[in-house]
Amino acid sequence: MDDEQLHAMRHSLAHITAAAIQRIWPDAKFGVGPVVENGFYYDIDLGEKKISEANFAKIEKAMRGIIDYGDNFEKFEMPIDQAIEWAKENNQPYKEELLNDLKRSGTTVAKDLDVDELGLAAGADTAVENVSFYQNGKFVDLCRGPHVANTKDVGVFKLMRVAGAYWRGKETNPQMQRLYGVAFETQEQLDTYLELLEQAKLRDHRKLGKELDLYTVSNLVGAGLPLFTPRGTVLRDIMAQYSNQLRQAHGFNKVFTPHITKTALYEASGHWAKFGDELFLVTSQETDDNFALKPMNCPHHTQIYASRPRSYKDMPIRYLETTTDYRDEKTGELGGLNRVRSLTQDDSHVFCRDDQIEAEINGLLASARELYGKIGMQLRVRLSYRDEGEGYLGEASLWESAQAQLKAAVIANELNYFEQEGEAAFYGPKIDFMATDALGREHQVATVQLDFVQPQRFGLTYTDADSQSRQPVMIHCALLGSIERFLSVFIEHTGGWFPLWAAPEQVRILTINDTVLDYVEEIEAVLRSTVLMQPVKFNELRFTRDDRNESLGKKIREATSWKIPVQLIVGPQDKESREVSVRTQSGEEKVSLDRLTDYLMSM
Amino acid sequence: MDDEQLHAMRHSLAHITAAAIQRIWPDAKFGVGPVVENGFYYDIDLGEKKISEANFAKIEKAMRGIIDYGDNFEKFEMPIDQAIEWAKENNQPYKEELLNDLKRSGTTVAKDLDVDELGLAAGADTAVENVSFYQNGKFVDLCRGPHVANTKDVGVFKLMRVAGAYWRGKETNPQMQRLYGVAFETQEQLDTYLELLEQAKLRDHRKLGKELDLYTVSNLVGAGLPLFTPRGTVLRDIMAQYSNQLRQAHGFNKVFTPHITKTALYEASGHWAKFGDELFLVTSQETDDNFALKPMNCPHHTQIYASRPRSYKDMPIRYLETTTDYRDEKTGELGGLNRVRSLTQDDSHVFCRDDQIEAEINGLLASARELYGKIGMQLRVRLSYRDEGEGYLGEASLWESAQAQLKAAVIANELNYFEQEGEAAFYGPKIDFMATDALGREHQVATVQLDFVQPQRFGLTYTDADSQSRQPVMIHCALLGSIERFLSVFIEHTGGWFPLWAAPEQVRILTINDTVLDYVEEIEAVLRSTVLMQPVKFNELRFTRDDRNESLGKKIREATSWKIPVQLIVGPQDKESREVSVRTQSGEEKVSLDRLTDYLMSM
């Protein structure tokens, strides 16, 4: 089944949902009912009546009745004024409002609603005359289509949840009830999806974040400002260290810039005009200075570049800074680590000559490929180019050469890629990375962006071989992106079973009884001298000991609930034979103490 | 000569300065003339006339005349109203103002001026009746004394500089001229001091910061917000790493907290009431939340502690965070790294039981002792205790026990210490560290503070062995303090010749000619595999190569101007014998390539 058919199926199910609702509650007023990822929803106004999960069985039964009855989806058109009359007669004020908007201007409606949902006749984008309807059985809905031929052709579905939603997303509008369903061609696909959902629930990073003591949120500190515990901080640091190490191997040097700046910096960079109202503003009580919290680091790094004269021989100059940026977000949008106000970026900037772009991009792509490969996430990249439109800054020839260099680097790195014209930023082309997690979900992660504009705005130059002053190109890159968001993905991808090198607590020694305590000390001496070198260098082992007077079973259960990758079980026999029982997710085996360091280093 | 005599000498020189000024410019009006470190100043109002360094010879000549003449300093008293008349008659409006203030209330004056400077008769703190004067020759000055017996007894002096100073430090008051001099008992002491001053000028961290490319300041970012270049960032990171490593060895774990918080956190901690107007306030444009930039980290760390139930078995819990705090400062006070708005603290907090205080303090003192010992700075500590006064929070018995534990730890660490009652914070006793630099100047650096109050305010508890809920004690500690300020001291202490382990660029290879290039690659392979382990672990070598077609002399001069501790000079003969010429501050010697790693690791 192709995407178009699946879309028609899900869209038809939205109509069937509304038809079922109308059969149960004849006074129901309907908003829109579009297709979404894996399913569909319909916005419904039932006045005082609230739909709950307890009603789902009844609604689903009515839907199955409609499906089994096997009506065809019939399309017909009518003039828009007649359609408005239809809406009035049927007491559908939301449809009436949409039709009136549509009559005034097709595009106004398109701005806040998916135009597919409307009965806008094909091709009628500018002059709206006729609108189309679909009918199945007695149920009639304003709709552009397409639909499946017959209600029997809708595959399998399940109602999932109901949530409040303001009409057209505006808080001043009436609140409706949004009823969500999922739908697939086969029962097997639906089951797989529901299983995945179950998995995702278990792996929810907010749940695991609490269970594994990775971060906390304090009402006194505020929403979207997570505080990281020792365990969570190990994860942050080890990932940042990995990301930095990869780039340091390509000649990047760490720099440090404060978290506030005079707004003058953003006026110079042009960010003030564009993003001024998304900034946290900072007031000095001692001076008249106007400050803001930095939402990005590029303008700051230009000031370090600009602090000395630069020669073509110095280029590329590569700065790296893991630092926390601040973005003002509505409280309602904040939850877990996915969307936060404090985002720590593993940010880097290259200042280079035009002819150095490809080699620089190459190094960055190789770094991204290694990092995501190591954590077992498939990468796919989008090459975003300019189109023929206006508003792109920088010379066309530079764009052309830069885009070709980006593509060459992507191909050299054997990355799975696709190209999109018109997706570039106005200041340069870019590469976006999408990583697929263990549940098959795709996340936007790293990005590499060229920038022809900031070097110009800040008047950055270098002296070229011919003694001429030239403007460098800037390359922005974050491999992890926001470390908070990356961790939300990483936690769910691994389900909290982090690879040995990244685990906050890597090894726990579990004693069978107290006769082995002297031997445990020997084991600890070995662990203390064990330093992992891959993929992060100089990664000293993080281990603990559980020598409580408790049963081994209890100790194993606890260590397993903490998802500690290596449990070393030590009993009198192990002491005798100078071994340890190594328990990992893949089983248990005996390892001699002499070999323990090598064993751990090759895991 | 004891301190009191030296003080009298310098104070007498202040009078002699004023007498000389009056001799040259009879209309001079005088403010105050106190003793300061190494000398004295006098505030003078000469109307339009500006004193410049060109006048110093003339003033000094007049002063020498007065000294050689050998008048005695004669003390006399008069009733305060008569003194006010004296000031009027002699056209000394500033003295008149002081006397009027003094008449109203001795304490008002004491608040903004050193009371020694005033002719307040001894013991007359509450009811001012008589004031004292000193006269030498014709010059009479309102003064409490004491002075030397005769103008001949003032040792040697030198006028140093003149600077603008508002009367009584208030910007709305008239601006006076502050004429500074230094004075010592012997010419040798003065010469030593002047030599030290010359040294200090050469080592000024603002000068070296620029020359060695350690940090920069941008007008667009703002005053007091230094941006650290790659070289400066190496220094920051290596020092923070050292400081962290010392504490991690004592069981500290890193945590991470954002740089902003709702002001509610500081209302709960009590900081809002005390320091609310010294904070940078942060405005959210999306929500009504009131935020502030954090000026300290303790309240934040309490929230991590409070995120889970704690048992006596978990204690002590030790958090470590190197993070940037923000303090609002007047622009005029900002310069170099000494006083900044963005201060990065190597902050740590212990939450422990009462009986664990001594062991915890012991570990922290040992860390401070090792760190300052390693960089060659002598430490002296002040033990600050409570006195009998009111306002100390926490039980008296806890204070007593805690103070005894602090002292025991100081003694166990064989630290040079002194005790001061009444210097404790209201929330607990503390230890302040003073470190002496290579020029003999003492700087306040690390601090260790006990805190009985924040655990109470935040309701922190742990479950004790008897199942009772108890309140932990908090121990604040920063070893470096503000890293920015520490670096200003460290740069001047070393004069930019950082020890090998800390130097941004540790080794530079200087080639004599191109025939050695293949051999240089072998040397680089050796350097790449060299990892210093002391005092900072896993410290990979930072090296560069100068193989330009320039003379060796020029290469050495450049490497020396960058103060690179190890220069490896490589010529055809070195290649032949598989050696390198190692050039350090202590000389030059041949080292075989096989031994190079060991040589560097033992430096």
Side-chain angles (χ1 to χ4, degrees), chain B residues 492-515:
Chain B
E492 298 188 1
H493 171 61
T494 58
W497 284 101
F498 304 109
L500 178 68
W501 56 271
E505 186 178 342
Q506 298 168 308
V507 176
R508 187 178 286 186
I509 304 169
L510 313 179
T511 57
I512 288 179
N513 63 39
D514 283 356
T515 65

PDB file of all heavy atoms in Angstrom, chain B residues 492-515:
ATOM      1  N   GLU B 492      50.105  36.724  37.012  1.00  0.00           N
ATOM      2  CA  GLU B 492      51.088  37.658  37.572  1.00  0.00           C
ATOM      3  C   GLU B 492      52.111  36.923  38.448  1.00  0.00           C
ATOM      4  O   GLU B 492      53.280  37.296  38.487  1.00  0.00           O
ATOM      5  CB  GLU B 492      50.369  38.772  38.343  1.00  0.00           C
ATOM      6  CG  GLU B 492      49.463  39.581  37.392  1.00  0.00           C
ATOM      7  CD  GLU B 492      48.850  40.838  38.007  1.00  0.00           C
ATOM      8  OE1 GLU B 492      49.128  41.129  39.182  1.00  0.00           O
ATOM      9  OE2 GLU B 492      48.105  41.521  37.269  1.00  0.00           O
ATOM     10  N   HIS B 493      51.665  35.886  39.114  1.00  0.00           N
ATOM     11  CA  HIS B 493      52.563  35.081  39.953  1.00  0.00           C
ATOM     12  C   HIS B 493      53.645  34.422  39.089  1.00  0.00           C
ATOM     13  O   HIS B 493      54.832  34.413  39.447  1.00  0.00           O
ATOM     14  CB  HIS B 493      51.737  34.021  40.682  1.00  0.00           C
ATOM     15  CG  HIS B 493      52.532  32.973  41.410  1.00  0.00           C
ATOM     16  ND1 HIS B 493      53.407  33.273  42.432  1.00  0.00           N
ATOM     17  CD2 HIS B 493      52.577  31.618  41.264  1.00  0.00           C
ATOM     18  CE1 HIS B 493      53.952  32.154  42.883  1.00  0.00           C
ATOM     19  NE2 HIS B 493      53.480  31.137  42.185  1.00  0.00           N
ATOM     20  N   THR B 494      53.255  33.902  37.944  1.00  0.00           N
ATOM     21  CA  THR B 494      54.210  33.206  37.071  1.00  0.00           C
ATOM     22  C   THR B 494      54.841  34.145  36.052  1.00  0.00           C
ATOM     23  O   THR B 494      55.804  33.764  35.381  1.00  0.00           O
ATOM     24  CB  THR B 494      53.501  32.088  36.274  1.00  0.00           C
ATOM     25  OG1 THR B 494      52.435  32.688  35.509  1.00  0.00           O
ATOM     26  CG2 THR B 494      52.918  31.020  37.188  1.00  0.00           C
ATOM     27  N   GLY B 495      54.309  35.350  35.930  1.00  0.00           N
ATOM     28  CA  GLY B 495      54.781  36.255  34.890  1.00  0.00           C
ATOM     29  C   GLY B 495      54.503  35.690  33.500  1.00  0.00           C
ATOM     30  O   GLY B 495      55.160  36.066  32.519  1.00  0.00           O
ATOM     31  N   GLY B 496      53.543  34.759  33.400  1.00  0.00           N
ATOM     32  CA  GLY B 496      53.204  34.174  32.093  1.00  0.00           C
ATOM     33  C   GLY B 496      54.026  32.941  31.760  1.00  0.00           C
ATOM     34  O   GLY B 496      53.768  32.275  30.770  1.00  0.00           O
ATOM     35  N   TRP B 497      55.050  32.659  32.594  1.00  0.00           N
ATOM     36  CA  TRP B 497      55.828  31.414  32.426  1.00  0.00           C
ATOM     37  C   TRP B 497      55.136  30.312  33.229  1.00  0.00           C
ATOM     38  O   TRP B 497      55.559  29.961  34.326  1.00  0.00           O
ATOM     39  CB  TRP B 497      57.267  31.609  32.901  1.00  0.00           C
ATOM     40  CG  TRP B 497      58.105  32.376  31.932  1.00  0.00           C
ATOM     41  CD1 TRP B 497      58.446  33.691  32.010  1.00  0.00           C
ATOM     42  CD2 TRP B 497      58.731  31.862  30.740  1.00  0.00           C
ATOM     43  NE1 TRP B 497      59.220  34.054  30.934  1.00  0.00           N
ATOM     44  CE2 TRP B 497      59.426  32.940  30.130  1.00  0.00           C
ATOM     45  CE3 TRP B 497      58.770  30.616  30.114  1.00  0.00           C
ATOM     46  CZ2 TRP B 497      60.133  32.802  28.949  1.00  0.00           C
ATOM     47  CZ3 TRP B 497      59.477  30.481  28.929  1.00  0.00           C
ATOM     48  CH2 TRP B 497      60.151  31.567  28.356  1.00  0.00           C
ATOM     49  N   PHE B 498      54.075  29.780  32.638  1.00  0.00           N
ATOM     50  CA  PHE B 498      53.297  28.764  33.336  1.00  0.00           C
ATOM     51  C   PHE B 498      54.095  27.475  33.430  1.00  0.00           C
ATOM     52  O   PHE B 498      54.913  27.179  32.553  1.00  0.00           O
ATOM     53  CB  PHE B 498      51.976  28.513  32.607  1.00  0.00           C
ATOM     54  CG  PHE B 498      51.167  29.767  32.433  1.00  0.00           C
ATOM     55  CD1 PHE B 498      51.011  30.353  31.192  1.00  0.00           C
ATOM     56  CD2 PHE B 498      50.592  30.384  33.541  1.00  0.00           C
ATOM     57  CE1 PHE B 498      50.288  31.525  31.042  1.00  0.00           C
ATOM     58  CE2 PHE B 498      49.867  31.558  33.402  1.00  0.00           C
ATOM     59  CZ  PHE B 498      49.720  32.131  32.141  1.00  0.00           C
ATOM     60  N   PRO B 499      53.850  26.691  34.504  1.00  0.00           N
ATOM     61  CA  PRO B 499      54.531  25.393  34.581  1.00  0.00           C
ATOM     62  C   PRO B 499      54.141  24.523  33.381  1.00  0.00           C
ATOM     63  O   PRO B 499      53.055  24.690  32.821  1.00  0.00           O
ATOM     64  CB  PRO B 499      54.015  24.789  35.888  1.00  0.00           C
ATOM     65  CG  PRO B 499      52.782  25.564  36.256  1.00  0.00           C
ATOM     66  CD  PRO B 499      52.955  26.923  35.648  1.00  0.00           C
ATOM     67  N   LEU B 500      55.017  23.612  33.022  1.00  0.00           N
ATOM     68  CA  LEU B 500      54.807  22.793  31.821  1.00  0.00           C
ATOM     69  C   LEU B 500      53.398  22.231  31.743  1.00  0.00           C
ATOM     70  O   LEU B 500      52.739  22.303  30.709  1.00  0.00           O
ATOM     71  CB  LEU B 500      55.820  21.636  31.797  1.00  0.00           C
ATOM     72  CG  LEU B 500      55.664  20.688  30.600  1.00  0.00           C
ATOM     73  CD1 LEU B 500      56.036  21.362  29.305  1.00  0.00           C
ATOM     74  CD2 LEU B 500      56.467  19.407  30.789  1.00  0.00           C
ATOM     75  N   TRP B 501      52.912  21.660  32.847  1.00  0.00           N
ATOM     76  CA  TRP B 501      51.607  20.970  32.807  1.00  0.00           C
ATOM     77  C   TRP B 501      50.460  21.915  32.511  1.00  0.00           C
ATOM     78  O   TRP B 501      49.429  21.494  32.008  1.00  0.00           O
ATOM     79  CB  TRP B 501      51.356  20.204  34.104  1.00  0.00           C
ATOM     80  CG  TRP B 501      51.436  21.045  35.353  1.00  0.00           C
ATOM     81  CD1 TRP B 501      52.560  21.297  36.089  1.00  0.00           C
ATOM     82  CD2 TRP B 501      50.368  21.753  36.001  1.00  0.00           C
ATOM     83  NE1 TRP B 501      52.256  22.118  37.160  1.00  0.00           N
ATOM     84  CE2 TRP B 501      50.921  22.407  37.127  1.00  0.00           C
ATOM     85  CE3 TRP B 501      49.016  21.889  35.747  1.00  0.00           C
ATOM     86  CZ2 TRP B 501      50.161  23.199  37.995  1.00  0.00           C
ATOM     87  CZ3 TRP B 501      48.238  22.674  36.606  1.00  0.00           C
ATOM     88  CH2 TRP B 501      48.830  23.322  37.722  1.00  0.00           C
ATOM     89  N   ALA B 502      50.635  23.212  32.814  1.00  0.00           N
ATOM     90  CA  ALA B 502      49.532  24.163  32.631  1.00  0.00           C
ATOM     91  C   ALA B 502      49.670  25.001  31.372  1.00  0.00           C
ATOM     92  O   ALA B 502      48.693  25.610  30.926  1.00  0.00           O
ATOM     93  CB  ALA B 502      49.437  25.082  33.844  1.00  0.00           C
ATOM     94  N   ALA B 503      50.847  25.078  30.793  1.00  0.00           N
ATOM     95  CA  ALA B 503      51.097  26.003  29.681  1.00  0.00           C
ATOM     96  C   ALA B 503      50.185  25.690  28.493  1.00  0.00           C
ATOM     97  O   ALA B 503      50.047  24.537  28.109  1.00  0.00           O
ATOM     98  CB  ALA B 503      52.558  25.924  29.262  1.00  0.00           C
ATOM     99  N   PRO B 504      49.564  26.732  27.912  1.00  0.00           N
ATOM    100  CA  PRO B 504      48.694  26.503  26.756  1.00  0.00           C
ATOM    101  C   PRO B 504      49.456  25.824  25.614  1.00  0.00           C
ATOM    102  O   PRO B 504      48.972  24.863  25.036  1.00  0.00           O
ATOM    103  CB  PRO B 504      48.251  27.912  26.360  1.00  0.00           C
ATOM    104  CG  PRO B 504      48.340  28.699  27.627  1.00  0.00           C
ATOM    105  CD  PRO B 504      49.519  28.135  28.372  1.00  0.00           C
ATOM    106  N   GLU B 505      50.645  26.326  25.303  1.00  0.00           N
ATOM    107  CA  GLU B 505      51.504  25.655  24.332  1.00  0.00           C
ATOM    108  C   GLU B 505      52.713  25.179  25.113  1.00  0.00           C
ATOM    109  O   GLU B 505      53.490  25.962  25.620  1.00  0.00           O
ATOM    110  CB  GLU B 505      51.908  26.636  23.214  1.00  0.00           C
ATOM    111  CG  GLU B 505      52.677  25.988  22.090  1.00  0.00           C
ATOM    112  CD  GLU B 505      53.023  26.976  20.971  1.00  0.00           C
ATOM    113  OE1 GLU B 505      52.393  28.058  20.882  1.00  0.00           O
ATOM    114  OE2 GLU B 505      53.948  26.681  20.191  1.00  0.00           O
ATOM    115  N   GLN B 506      52.845  23.859  25.248  1.00  0.00           N
ATOM    116  CA  GLN B 506      53.866  23.328  26.162  1.00  0.00           C
ATOM    117  C   GLN B 506      55.208  23.144  25.489  1.00  0.00           C
ATOM    118  O   GLN B 506      56.258  23.348  26.079  1.00  0.00           O
ATOM    119  CB  GLN B 506      53.377  21.977  26.713  1.00  0.00           C
ATOM    120  CG  GLN B 506      52.096  22.104  27.522  1.00  0.00           C
ATOM    121  CD  GLN B 506      51.478  20.765  27.817  1.00  0.00           C
ATOM    122  OE1 GLN B 506      51.258  19.964  26.926  1.00  0.00           O
ATOM    123  NE2 GLN B 506      51.192  20.512  29.081  1.00  0.00           N
ATOM    124  N   VAL B 507      55.150  22.707  24.236  1.00  0.00           N
ATOM    125  CA  VAL B 507      56.379  22.359  23.524  1.00  0.00           C
ATOM    126  C   VAL B 507      56.297  22.928  22.115  1.00  0.00           C
ATOM    127  O   VAL B 507      55.250  22.835  21.475  1.00  0.00           O
ATOM    128  CB  VAL B 507      56.523  20.816  23.437  1.00  0.00           C
ATOM    129  CG1 VAL B 507      57.741  20.431  22.608  1.00  0.00           C
ATOM    130  CG2 VAL B 507      56.593  20.190  24.828  1.00  0.00           C
ATOM    131  N   ARG B 508      57.397  23.540  21.661  1.00  0.00           N
ATOM    132  CA  ARG B 508      57.471  23.938  20.251  1.00  0.00           C
ATOM    133  C   ARG B 508      58.749  23.371  19.653  1.00  0.00           C
ATOM    134  O   ARG B 508      59.823  23.497  20.242  1.00  0.00           O
ATOM    135  CB  ARG B 508      57.426  25.457  20.089  1.00  0.00           C
ATOM    136  CG  ARG B 508      57.319  25.883  18.631  1.00  0.00           C
ATOM    137  CD  ARG B 508      57.232  27.385  18.450  1.00  0.00           C
ATOM    138  NE  ARG B 508      55.927  27.926  18.835  1.00  0.00           N
ATOM    139  CZ  ARG B 508      55.567  29.196  18.667  1.00  0.00           C
ATOM    140  NH1 ARG B 508      56.430  30.073  18.103  1.00  0.00           N
ATOM    141  NH2 ARG B 508      54.379  29.622  19.045  1.00  0.00           N
ATOM    142  N   ILE B 509      58.602  22.727  18.514  1.00  0.00           N
ATOM    143  CA  ILE B 509      59.762  22.189  17.807  1.00  0.00           C
ATOM    144  C   ILE B 509      60.270  23.264  16.851  1.00  0.00           C
ATOM    145  O   ILE B 509      59.501  23.789  16.040  1.00  0.00           O
ATOM    146  CB  ILE B 509      59.381  20.936  16.987  1.00  0.00           C
ATOM    147  CG1 ILE B 509      58.750  19.876  17.908  1.00  0.00           C
ATOM    148  CG2 ILE B 509      60.587  20.380  16.250  1.00  0.00           C
ATOM    149  CD1 ILE B 509      58.101  18.726  17.138  1.00  0.00           C
ATOM    150  N   LEU B 510      61.558  23.598  16.953  1.00  0.00           N
ATOM    151  CA  LEU B 510      62.148  24.610  16.080  1.00  0.00           C
ATOM    152  C   LEU B 510      63.167  23.926  15.167  1.00  0.00           C
ATOM    153  O   LEU B 510      64.140  23.340  15.658  1.00  0.00           O
ATOM    154  CB  LEU B 510      62.847  25.694  16.918  1.00  0.00           C
ATOM    155  CG  LEU B 510      62.060  26.256  18.111  1.00  0.00           C
ATOM    156  CD1 LEU B 510      62.899  27.292  18.854  1.00  0.00           C
ATOM    157  CD2 LEU B 510      60.756  26.881  17.649  1.00  0.00           C
ATOM    158  N   THR B 511      62.961  23.981  13.874  1.00  0.00           N
ATOM    159  CA  THR B 511      63.887  23.310  12.955  1.00  0.00           C
ATOM    160  C   THR B 511      65.009  24.258  12.552  1.00  0.00           C
ATOM    161  O   THR B 511      64.810  25.470  12.423  1.00  0.00           O
ATOM    162  CB  THR B 511      63.175  22.852  11.679  1.00  0.00           C
ATOM    163  OG1 THR B 511      62.576  23.998  11.064  1.00  0.00           O
ATOM    164  CG2 THR B 511      62.096  21.828  11.990  1.00  0.00           C
ATOM    165  N   ILE B 512      66.191  23.677  12.363  1.00  0.00           N
ATOM    166  CA  ILE B 512      67.331  24.476  11.885  1.00  0.00           C
ATOM    167  C   ILE B 512      67.304  24.562  10.364  1.00  0.00           C
ATOM    168  O   ILE B 512      67.578  25.600   9.786  1.00  0.00           O
ATOM    169  CB  ILE B 512      68.656  23.887  12.423  1.00  0.00           C
ATOM    170  CG1 ILE B 512      68.734  24.198  13.930  1.00  0.00           C
ATOM    171  CG2 ILE B 512      69.864  24.447  11.674  1.00  0.00           C
ATOM    172  CD1 ILE B 512      69.953  23.670  14.632  1.00  0.00           C
ATOM    173  N   ASN B 513      66.933  23.460   9.701  1.00  0.00           N
ATOM    174  CA  ASN B 513      66.690  23.517   8.260  1.00  0.00           C
ATOM    175  C   ASN B 513      65.804  22.355   7.822  1.00  0.00           C
ATOM    176  O   ASN B 513      65.413  21.520   8.644  1.00  0.00           O
ATOM    177  CB  ASN B 513      68.015  23.544   7.470  1.00  0.00           C
ATOM    178  CG  ASN B 513      68.807  22.267   7.709  1.00  0.00           C
ATOM    179  OD1 ASN B 513      68.243  21.173   7.781  1.00  0.00           O
ATOM    180  ND2 ASN B 513      70.124  22.412   7.843  1.00  0.00           N
ATOM    181  N   ASP B 514      65.495  22.316   6.527  1.00  0.00           N
ATOM    182  CA  ASP B 514      64.477  21.369   6.044  1.00  0.00           C
ATOM    183  C   ASP B 514      64.966  19.919   5.963  1.00  0.00           C
ATOM    184  O   ASP B 514      64.163  19.009   5.719  1.00  0.00           O
ATOM    185  CB  ASP B 514      63.967  21.793   4.659  1.00  0.00           C
ATOM    186  CG  ASP B 514      62.997  22.952   4.781  1.00  0.00           C
ATOM    187  OD1 ASP B 514      62.691  23.334   5.937  1.00  0.00           O
ATOM    188  OD2 ASP B 514      62.559  23.473   3.743  1.00  0.00           O
ATOM    189  N   THR B 515      66.272  19.705   6.159  1.00  0.00           N
ATOM    190  CA  THR B 515      66.753  18.319   6.064  1.00  0.00           C
ATOM    191  C   THR B 515      66.255  17.469   7.229  1.00  0.00           C
ATOM    192  O   THR B 515      66.351  16.255   7.198  1.00  0.00           O
ATOM    193  CB  THR B 515      68.302  18.259   6.065  1.00  0.00           C
ATOM    194  OG1 THR B 515      68.762  18.733   7.350  1.00  0.00           O
ATOM    195  CG2 THR B 515      68.892  19.109   4.965  1.00  0.00           C
TER     196      THR B 515
END
